[in-house]
Amino acid sequence: MNRLIFSLVLIPFFLGGCNRGSQESSHSLVAGELTVELTVATDRLEKKFNQRFDRSAQVRAITWEGETMLGVSGLPDEFGLNGLGILGFDEAKAPKGQFLKIGFGRLIRDAADPYVFWRAWPVAERSKTRLLSQAATSLTVSSSQSLGQWGYSLTKTYTVSSTPTATLEIQYELKNTGKAEFSFDHYNHNFFVAPQGGDSSLLIVNTKPELPFTPKENWRRLAMGWRLAPERPEGTGGYFELGLIPPQDFNFILSNEGGSARVIIQPNFKPFHAAVWADSATVCPEVFYRATLTSGETTKWGVSYLFPRARR
C-alpha cells in the first residue's frame, strides 16, 4: 500500500537574498518505500566541486526499500560542463569582468584563463532561489539571474511516485530572459553506489537499446554490460563516452552484480551525448541535453529514475 503524506502547498517565497543568495533548507519526498531528500538553495558541494553545480536544488539522498542509493555527493546537475552556456564569458575582461553560470549565478573572470569546469571562480552574486510549491510527493523551485544582455529563469520540479515502479522524475524548464541568443547543455551527475557500500566494480552499466562504445582503461566487458575491473590499480576509476550522432532514444541501466536492475535512467529527450564516470565508490551514468534559445524562448526536458524491486 502506498504511504502518502499530504501537506499544505507553500506560498512562493525567496530563500534569503543579498550576496549569499539563499538560506539553505532541507525537504523530503516520500512515496511508498522510496524517500528522496532534497536540499534547496544549497552551497553544500561548493567546497569540493567549486561553482560547478546548480545550487537551486539538489538531491542529497535516495533511500529505496531501506537501502542507500547515492554517495555523499548525491545527485546534482550542471549546466555548461565544457563551456557551452557559460553566458558572457568571452566578453568578460579579466580580472574583474563578470559572467553567468546557469543555476549558480554571477561569477568573476579573475584571469584570462579559458573556462574549465573544475576551476574555482570568485562569486559576485548567487542566483536567488524561490520555493514555488511543496507537497508530500513533489517540490518545485525556481532561480534567475541577469547580466547585461544575458539572463535566464530556471524552474525545476521533483516528483516521486510508487506505482507501477518507484520513480523520481525531475522536470526542467529554462527561459532566456535576456536579449542575446544562447546555447547550453545540461546533465545530471548521478553518484550511485553499490549495495552495502561495496566497491563500484559490483555495479554493471549498459544501455537499452544497447549502444556501441569502447571504454577506456579499467573496464571489463561482460555479457550484460560493462563493469570496472576489480583488479584495476588501487584508488583508480574510469571514464568513457558514447558517441550519439545523431541523437537517439535510450535508457541507461545500472545493475547489481547478480543481474537485477538497480536503477534505470530514462530521459524524455534524445541525448546528444552520454558518458559514464566511476571511482571506487560510485558509478555515474550521464545523459546530456542541448538546446538554443532566442530572447524570450523557453525549453523543457526531464529525466526519470526508476527503481525496480529487488529480487527476493
Side-chain angles (χ1 to χ4, degrees):
M1 181 179 294
N2 296 345
R3 178 165 60 92
L4 301 179
I5 305 171
F6 294 96
S7 61
L8 294 176
V9 174
L10 302 180
I11 298 173
F13 63 92
F14 281 106
L15 296 172
C18 304
N19 194 42
R20 289 300 301 171
S22 65
Q23 182 175 347
E24 194 174 276
S25 61
S26 297
H27 309 265
S28 294
L29 306 180
V30 179
E33 295 180 74
L34 177 65
T35 299
V36 175
E37 298 177 30
L38 295 159
T39 308
V40 172
T42 179
D43 300 312
R44 69 184 190 92
L45 296 180
E46 188 174 354
K47 184 176 181 180
K48 181 177 180 179
F49 294 103
N50 298 317
Q51 296 77 40
R52 285 185 62 178
F53 295 124
D54 171 21
R55 65 181 305 278
S56 64
Q58 296 172 9
V59 175
R60 184 176 69 255
I62 297 175
T63 304
W64 165 235
E65 295 185 318
E67 187 174 346
T68 297
M69 305 299 292
L70 294 173
V72 294
S73 296
L75 199 161
D77 51 280
E78 179 176 9
F79 290 84
L81 174 66
N82 295 312
L84 185 69
I86 306 300
L87 308 180
F89 184 84
D90 292 339
E91 297 89 339
K93 303 299 182 183
K96 296 182 179 181
Q98 296 185 14
F99 61 96
L100 288 186
K101 169 83 169 178
I102 298 174
F104 194 94
R106 289 195 285 119
L107 304 177
I108 299 171
R109 190 176 185 182
D110 59 343
D113 302 340
Y115 181 83
V116 288
F117 64 86
W118 62 81
R119 186 193 191 282
W121 302 96
V123 178
E125 184 179 38
R126 288 167 170 79
S127 296
K128 296 177 177 63
T129 298
R130 193 163 64 144
L131 180 58
L132 298 181
S133 65
Q134 182 189 3
T137 58
S138 67
L139 180 143
T140 300
V141 299
S142 70
S143 65
S144 59
Q145 188 63 272
S146 61
L147 177 67
Q149 64 179 336
W150 308 101
Y152 72 86
S153 176
L154 172 65
T155 302
K156 302 200 301 185
T157 298
Y158 297 82
T159 304
V160 296
S161 57
S162 57
T163 57
T165 302
T167 301
L168 164 65
E169 181 182 26
I170 310 176
Q171 290 289 334
Y172 299 88
E173 180 176 326
L174 184 67
K175 180 177 182 179
N176 181 352
T177 60
K179 296 180 179 179
E181 177 181 286
F182 65 79
S183 299
F184 73 95
D185 57 33
H186 169 273
Y187 76 104
N188 293 82
H189 206 316
N190 311 302
F191 292 92
F192 285 106
V193 296
Q196 288 78 52
D199 187 85
S200 59
S201 62
L202 297 174
L203 295 176
I204 300 167
V205 63
N206 206 350
T207 60
K208 187 177 182 179
E210 188 169 351
L211 300 176
F213 51 86
T214 304
K216 297 180 181 179
E217 67 280 354
N218 294 342
W219 292 90
R220 177 187 292 176
R221 176 66 176 171
L222 303 176
M224 60 179 298
W226 293 88
R227 68 184 293 186
L228 274 177
E231 68 276 9
R232 68 191 185 278
E234 184 177 357
T236 63
Y239 176 81
F240 63 90
E241 299 177 327
L242 288 75
L244 299 175
I245 302 176
Q248 54 191 291
D249 289 316
F250 75 94
N251 296 337
F252 263 124
I253 302 174
L254 195 60
S255 301
N256 296 313
E257 188 176 32
S260 60
R262 185 168 178 81
V263 59
I264 300 169
I265 301 173
Q266 188 176 80
N268 71 357
F269 57 91
K270 293 183 178 182
F272 79 94
H273 178 71
V276 178
W277 178 89
D279 62 12
S280 61
T282 58
V283 176
C284 311
E286 302 162 354
V287 292
F288 288 74
Y289 177 78
R290 175 177 288 177
T292 298
L293 298 177
T294 59
S295 178
E297 190 175 7
T298 297
T299 186
K300 299 179 181 181
W301 71 100
V303 180
S304 293
Y305 297 84
L306 284 68
F307 301 95
R309 287 200 173 275
R311 294 176 182 173
R312 304 299 187 185

